[in-house]
């Protein structure tokens, strides 16, 4: 736990944390990963909060996402 300055809007985070499923499971993350990577490659400004929250918290999925994004970017 560290207090770093992520620029996620606090209200959005609060809302998310109150939700029944604040974080995606790794399975859910993995299911969305293809689409997420495609969108991020197409639009670097693309924001998917649940994905980003999970990727921030989960090194394994973050690595997977990075690999996929690299791959998709490379193919242009
Ligand atoms: Zn994960």
């Amino acid at each position: 736990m560290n207090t770093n300055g992520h620029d996620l809007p606090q209200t959005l985070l609060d809302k998310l944390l109150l939700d029944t499923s604040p974080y995606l499971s790794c399975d859910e993350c993995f299911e969305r990963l293809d689409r997420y990577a495609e969108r991020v490659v197409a639009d670097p400004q693309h924001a998917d909060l649940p994905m980003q929250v999970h990727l921030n918290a989960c090194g394994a999925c973050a690595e997977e996402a990075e690999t996929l994004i690299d791959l998709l970017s490379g193919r242009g």
Side-chain angles (χ1 to χ4, degrees), residues 32-43 46 48 51 55 64-73:
R32 292 170 174 229
L33 205 52
D34 280 0
R35 212 177 334 161
Y36 175 74
E38 276 172 20
R39 285 182 185 169
V40 168
V41 169
D43 174 13
H46 177 69
D48 185 329
M51 287 294 287
L55 294 178
E64 197 67 34
E66 212 172 295
T67 304
L68 200 54
I69 288 166
D70 278 357
L71 198 75
L72 291 172
S73 306

Side-chain angles (χ1 to χ4, degrees), residues 24-26 29 54 58 60-62:
L24 299 172
S25 68
C26 284
C29 181
H54 185 90
C58 180
C61 288

Side-chain angles (χ1 to χ4, degrees), residues 11-31:
T11 48
L12 210 60
L13 259 184
D14 285 346
K15 205 178 163 191
L16 201 76
L17 293 171
L18 288 173
D19 204 82
T20 47
S21 54
Y23 297 106
L24 299 172
S25 68
C26 284
D27 280 350
E28 288 169 326
C29 181
F30 194 75
E31 275 175 22

